[in-house]
């Protein structure tokens, strides 16, 4: 009798074990991700300043936020940065992938060189580009001392152009990764269709335009989703490269949130800006993840 | 990934090929440029850099900047060099990578071989957590670490990195185990093997390739993290990236660019080495992931 109960307990345990094993991770995610999101969103409706405080103020933080020129500048910069970063990375990644797909000698070496920036920290990338672009010691100084005295390249110190140096460094860091995604897509294309089209006399240009590139749709989508969420999260690179300056010329929502929350003691406004960042990413990620997970069923 | 070796059927002429090689070479130089700048300038005296020689090979070769960056440069208030911060990073990265990978493997196993109602939704919740802008959790996380007595500690950072890394490790193992034949598992079950026995004897021995991907991914992400380190680390737990930023941004004294470059390489070396040694598996894993979608 005891033996039967024991066996029964064992099978019951076996059927619960998988859920038991999953539960610590799930608990961590529920508390530290979703619980925290709720807490932050709640804070964005309170009068929190240096520390969290629970006086309800409704939409006040949001209306204050949208009146701040600092926030407006951050959003404008994000618009320029995201548009250029996403489009340049995509075009460059696709072009390099197509070139690299032409039975290139030493493909492995070239691929390694294109991809290594992905392994570096944005702080390292930022440091390298910061001094290379610095007019005092970098490119401008190098060319001027070597005789081209009228050469000027001070974008990183120029309010109107500094944001483009952030684009340059960010593209340098991620375009190789995008190239790898497109290359994987290209390698998955069925050669028989291409051969048939070649027999019909299609030019390479038409093969790419009409057959190959349309088949890369999933790679385009993944690249867009990954790049846009990276763009919205860009923080370290700006800190290392320009510190948000000159003035506010390279401030982005992520740096705005950080300075309002931790150095200007405007936690309510900081939380409001973080909420807007989250909503933007959710609008891109949720439909994507939903479609991905449904397909796999 | 057998498709990765498949050659394209596209044929190109001689002129086009020359142009293609030229473009590929040009971009190789573009990607190598910052590395070149960092390396050559980390082994020359400061006056060669300020004198307009940033792009030249060193005239006088010196390892002084490396020594200084490692053991005597002023970081914050102490002239300790980057050395203690390097060890802080190691102490944070090793346990965080190990724990998140083990949890990811177990989660992936449950989510593919012990499926239950609603498991896809749970996985979706874990996956979305990877992509949130971390600004949304900074404030409550700071409070939580304080409540748990882990504010400013390495353990606190380990916890943070485990929590926000689980989604990715689970994703990797789930995709990998999804194509593992379920018949083998059913057969083992009939023979009386339990939950952990099946995992230990059947799945784990063939998990090498995906474990490598998960470890490299987590190692790179956690080593390179700046936001969490800057927000939650204390004086004795600051990671390498935060220390490097403090070194480079220091506003007092002469700017020692050569020391900055040496420091940047020191901060990049571990992930760069991992990439060079095990990069092939990493790329293969990334490609497998993106092809499957």
């Amino acid at each position: 009798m005891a033996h039967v109960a024991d066996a029964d307990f064992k099978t019951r345990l076996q059927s619960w074990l998988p859920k038991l094993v999953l539960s610590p991770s799930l608990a961590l995610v529920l508390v530290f991700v979703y619980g925290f999101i709720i807490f932050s969103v709640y804070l964005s409706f309170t009068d929190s300043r240096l520390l969290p405080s629970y006086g309800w103020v409704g939409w006040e933080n949001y209306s204050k936020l949208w009146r701040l020129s600092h926030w407006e500048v951050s959003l404008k910069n994000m618009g320029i940065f995201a548009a250029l970063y996403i489009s340049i990375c995509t075009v460059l990644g696709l072009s390099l992938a197509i070139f690299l797909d032409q039975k290139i000698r030493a493909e492995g070496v070239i691929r390694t060189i294109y991809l290594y920036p992905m392994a570096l920290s944005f702080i390292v990338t930022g440091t390298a580009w910061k001094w290379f672009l610095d007019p005092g010691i970098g490119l401008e100084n190098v060319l001027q001392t070597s005789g081209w005295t009228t050469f000027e390249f001070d974008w990183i110190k120029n309010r109107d152009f500094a944001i483009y140096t952030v684009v340059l460094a960010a593209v340098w860091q991620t375009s190789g990764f995008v190239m790898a995604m497109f290359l994987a897509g290209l390698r998955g294309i069925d050669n028989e269709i291409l051969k048939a089209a070649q027999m019909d006399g299609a030019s390479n240009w038409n093969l790419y335009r009409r057959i190959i590139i349309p088949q890369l749709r999933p790679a385009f989508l993944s690249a867009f989703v990954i790049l846009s969420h990276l763009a919205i999260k860009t923080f370290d690179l700006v800190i290392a490269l320009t510190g948000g300056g000159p003035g506010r010329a390279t401030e982005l929502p992520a740096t705005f949130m950080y300075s309002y929350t931790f150095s200007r003691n405007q936690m309510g406004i900081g939380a409001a800006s973080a909420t807007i960042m989250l909503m933007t990413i959710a609008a891109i990620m949720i439909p994507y993840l939903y479609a991905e997970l449904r397909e796999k069923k | 990934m057998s498709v990765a070796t498949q050659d394209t059927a596209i044929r190109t002429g001689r002129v086009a090929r020359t142009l293609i090689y030229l473009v590929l070479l040009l971009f190789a130089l573009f990607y190598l440029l910052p590395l070149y700048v960092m390396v050559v300038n980390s082994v020359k005296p400061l006056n060669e850099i300020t004198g307009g020689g940033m792009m030249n090979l060193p005239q006088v070769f010196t390892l002084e900047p490396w020594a200084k960056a490692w053991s005597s440069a002023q970081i914050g208030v102490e002239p300790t060099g980057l050395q203690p911060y390097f060890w802080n990073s190691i102490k944070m990265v090793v346990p965080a990578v190990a724990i998140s990978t083990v949890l990811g493997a177990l989660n992936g196993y449950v989510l593919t071989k012990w499926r239950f109602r609603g498991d896809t939704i749970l996985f979706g919740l874990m996956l979305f957590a990877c992509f949130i802008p971390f600004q949304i959790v900074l404030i409550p996380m700071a409070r939580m670490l304080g409540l748990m007595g882990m504010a400013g500690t390495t353990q606190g950072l380990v916890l943070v990195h485990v929590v926000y890394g689980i989604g990715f490790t689970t994703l990797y193992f789930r995709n990998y185990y999804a194509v593992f034949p379920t018949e083998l598992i059913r057969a083992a079950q009939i023979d009386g093997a339990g939950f952990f026995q099946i995992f230990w004897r059947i799945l784990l021995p063939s998990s090498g390739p995906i474990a490598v991907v998960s470890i490299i991914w987590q190692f790179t992400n956690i080593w390179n993290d700046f936001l969490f380190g800057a927000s939650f680390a204390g004086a004795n737990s600051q990671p390498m990236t935060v220390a490097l930023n403090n070194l480079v941004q220091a506003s007092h004294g002469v700017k020692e660019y050569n020391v900055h470059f040496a420091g940047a390489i020191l901060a990049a070396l571990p992930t760069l080495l991992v990439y060079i040694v095990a990069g092939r598996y990493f790329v293969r894993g990334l490609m497998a992931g993106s092809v499957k979608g």
Side-chain angles (χ1 to χ4, degrees), chain A residues 52-114:
Chain A
S53 136
Y54 304 101
W56 186 264
V57 295
W59 292 94
E60 197 182 303
N61 287 321
Y62 288 89
S63 60
K64 267 190 203 157
L65 177 69
W66 289 101
R67 282 198 305 270
L68 285 171
S69 67
H70 194 155
W71 175 245
E72 200 188 307
V73 169
S74 309
L75 283 187
K76 217 175 97 190
N77 286 337
M78 175 49 64
I80 298 173
F81 173 73
L84 288 173
Y85 170 65
I86 295 171
S87 54
I88 297 175
C89 274
T90 307
V91 171
L92 192 61
L94 177 63
S95 314
L96 292 177
I98 288 176
F99 288 161
L100 209 52
D101 193 35
Q102 311 298 326
K103 302 185 194 77
I104 294 298
R105 247 175 281 162
E107 185 200 311
V109 177
I110 298 177
R111 222 171 43 196
T112 307
I113 293 172
Y114 287 6

Side-chain angles (χ1 to χ4, degrees), chain A residues 14 25 32 34 40 101-103 105 112 114-116 119 121 131 172 175 187 191 198 204 233 292, chain B residues 6-9 11 17 21 24 30-31 35 107 125 132 136 141 164 195 224 249 260 271 275 293:
Chain A
Q14 283 293 333
S25 306
F32 285 82
Y34 296 96
S40 287
D101 193 35
Q102 311 298 326
K103 302 185 194 77
R105 247 175 281 162
T112 307
Y114 287 6
L115 260 170
Y116 88 90
S121 144
W131 296 142
W172 178 82
S175 46
R187 296 284 152 88
N191 266 332
Q198 273 170 337
N204 279 350
K233 286 164 89 167
E292 285 286 314
Chain B
Q6 183 187 4
D7 276 323
T8 175
R11 286 179 299 248
R17 286 192 75 75
Y21 272 104
L24 289 175
F30 168 66
Y31 289 112
L35 190 65
N107 294 344
L125 284 175
I132 57 167
I136 198 78
M141 186 52 112
Y164 301 108
F195 177 84
N224 288 342
Q249 309 290 347
H260 298 175
T271 49
Y275 173 68

Side-chain angles (χ1 to χ4, degrees), chain B residues 252-266:
Chain B
H252 52 79
V254 185
K255 277 197 165 37
E256 294 179 292
Y257 304 108
N258 48 359
V259 177
H260 298 175
F261 285 124
I265 300 175
L266 284 170

Side-chain angles (χ1 to χ4, degrees), chain A residues 1 36 50-51 59 65 75 85 125 146 159 170 173 216 231 266 272 280:
Chain A
M1 198 59 192
F36 282 9
L50 174 62
L51 292 168
W59 292 94
L65 177 69
L75 283 187
Y85 170 65
T125 306
S146 65
R159 277 164 189 272
Q173 177 113 357
L216 292 177
Q266 296 276 2
T280 317

Side-chain angles (χ1 to χ4, degrees), chain A residues 14 17-19 21-22 25-26 28-34 36-37 39-41 43 52 54 92 96 99-105 110-121 123-124 127-132 136-138 141-142 145 168 171-172 175-177 180-181 183-185 187-191 194-195 198 204 207-208 212 222 229 233 235-236 239-240 254 257-258 261-262 267 271 274-275 277-278 281-282 285-286 288-289 292-293 296-297, chain B residues 1 3-12 17 20-21 23-25 27-28 30-35 37-38 49-55 103 106-107 110-111 114-116 120 122-144 148 159 162-164 166 171 174-175 194-196 220 224-227 230-231 241 244-245 248-249 255 257 260-261 264-265 267-268 271-272 275 283 286-287 290-293:
Chain A
Q14 283 293 333
L17 213 45
K19 285 172 196 167
V21 164
L22 196 63
S25 306
L26 206 59
L28 282 178
V29 169
L30 285 181
V31 173
F32 285 82
V33 178
Y34 296 96
F36 282 9
I37 287 176
F39 186 78
S40 287
V41 173
L43 281 185
Y54 304 101
L92 192 61
L96 292 177
F99 288 161
L100 209 52
D101 193 35
Q102 311 298 326
K103 302 185 194 77
I104 294 298
R105 247 175 281 162
I110 298 177
R111 222 171 43 196
T112 307
I113 293 172
Y114 287 6
L115 260 170
Y116 88 90
M118 204 57 196
L120 302 183
S121 144
I123 302 295
V124 171
T127 304
W129 283 104
K130 180 190 178 77
W131 296 142
F132 177 73
I137 59 156
N141 186 32
V142 167
T145 43
L168 173 67
V171 165
W172 178 82
S175 46
F177 175 69
M181 290 174 66
L183 193 58
R187 296 284 152 88
I189 285 174
D190 185 8
N191 266 332
L194 297 184
K195 282 177 185 151
Q198 273 170 337
N204 279 350
L207 285 180
Y208 274 105
I212 298 175
S222 311
H229 111 274
K233 286 164 89 167
F235 174 77
D236 337 5
I239 296 293
M257 185 276 170
Y258 202 84
T261 308
F262 297 110
M267 193 177 276
T275 304
M277 288 173 68
L278 175 74
I281 287 188
M285 291 306 304
I286 289 176
Y288 177 72
L289 292 180
E292 285 286 314
L293 293 176
K296 277 184 189 159
K297 269 200 171 168
Chain B
M1 273 294 292
V3 278
T5 52
Q6 183 187 4
D7 276 323
T8 175
I10 298 283
R11 286 179 299 248
T12 37
R17 286 192 75 75
I20 287 171
Y21 272 104
V23 172
L24 289 175
L25 189 72
F27 275 95
F30 168 66
Y31 289 112
L32 286 172
L33 175 75
L35 190 65
V37 169
M38 284 196 283
I49 304 177
T50 47
M54 182 181 265
M55 298 309 290
L103 286 176
L106 287 169
N107 294 344
V110 171
L111 289 169
W114 299 86
R115 302 199 53 177
F116 52 90
T120 311
L122 293 184
F123 174 61
L125 284 175
M126 292 175 114
L127 195 55
F128 179 66
C130 303
F131 298 100
I132 57 167
F134 293 122
Q135 277 73 17
I136 198 78
V137 296
L138 287 185
I139 303 167
M141 186 52 112
R143 270 185 89 72
M144 183 65 111
M148 295 167 79
L159 173 72
V162 167
V163 168
Y164 301 108
I166 293 177
L171 168 73
R174 182 182 177 268
N175 282 358
F195 177 84
F196 284 111
T220 313
N224 288 342
D225 161 72
F226 175 75
L227 181 63
S231 308
T241 47
L244 173 65
N245 190 52
V248 175
Q249 309 290 347
K255 277 197 165 37
Y257 304 108
H260 298 175
F261 285 124
I265 300 175
T271 49
L272 219 47
Y275 173 68
V283 174
L286 281 179
M287 283 185 163
S290 63
V291 166
K292 275 192 228 136

Side-chain angles (χ1 to χ4, degrees), chain B residues 26-247:
Chain B
L26 222 64
F27 275 95
L29 292 179
F30 168 66
Y31 289 112
L32 286 172
L33 175 75
L35 190 65
Y36 170 81
V37 169
M38 284 196 283
V39 172
V40 295
N41 289 297
S42 71
V43 290
K44 61 171 83 148
L46 188 57
N47 62 0
E48 283 188 34
I49 304 177
T50 47
M54 182 181 265
M55 298 309 290
N56 301 341
L57 290 171
Q59 287 165 327
V60 180
F61 179 87
T62 167
L63 285 176
E64 196 62 30
W66 282 71
K68 191 161 186 192
W70 178 248
S71 57
S72 68
Q74 184 98 9
I75 316 264
V77 285
E78 302 276 351
T80 56
L82 291 167
Q83 187 184 8
Y85 303 96
F86 188 89
W87 299 120
N88 285 348
S89 274
I90 297 276
K91 278 185 260 174
M92 165 184 81
V93 169
V94 173
V97 170
I99 297 169
S100 58
T101 299
V102 169
L103 286 176
L106 287 169
N107 294 344
Y109 171 49
V110 171
L111 289 169
T112 52
K113 301 304 171 205
W114 299 86
R115 302 199 53 177
F116 52 90
R117 272 179 74 88
D119 60 352
T120 311
I121 295 171
L122 293 184
F123 174 61
L125 284 175
M126 292 175 114
L127 195 55
F128 179 66
C130 303
F131 298 100
I132 57 167
F134 293 122
Q135 277 73 17
I136 198 78
V137 296
L138 287 185
I139 303 167
M141 186 52 112
R143 270 185 89 72
M144 183 65 111
L145 289 175
L147 286 175
M148 295 167 79
M150 295 210 275
T153 64
T154 300
Q155 293 92 302
L157 287 173
V158 170
L159 173 72
V160 173
H161 286 299
V162 167
V163 168
Y164 301 108
I166 293 177
F168 276 119
T169 57
T170 303
L171 168 73
Y172 288 136
F173 281 98
R174 182 182 177 268
N175 282 358
Y176 188 76
Y177 289 152
V179 292
F180 192 91
T182 306
E183 297 78 45
L184 278 180
I185 307 234
R186 293 289 164 257
Q189 259 183 314
I190 290 164
D191 291 345
F195 177 84
F196 284 111
Q197 266 181 315
I198 294 173
F199 180 64
W200 194 254
R201 299 241 179 100
I202 302 179
L203 281 164
L204 214 53
S206 66
S207 301
I210 201 63
V212 170
V213 168
S214 168
I215 289 169
I216 295 176
W217 177 267
Q218 284 297 89
F219 180 84
T220 313
N221 269 346
I222 300 173
W223 183 276
N224 288 342
D225 161 72
F226 175 75
L227 181 63
F228 290 140
S231 308
F232 306 133
N236 295 318
S237 61
Q238 274 184 351
M240 193 69 171
T241 47
V242 176
L244 173 65
N245 190 52
N246 287 343
L247 170 71

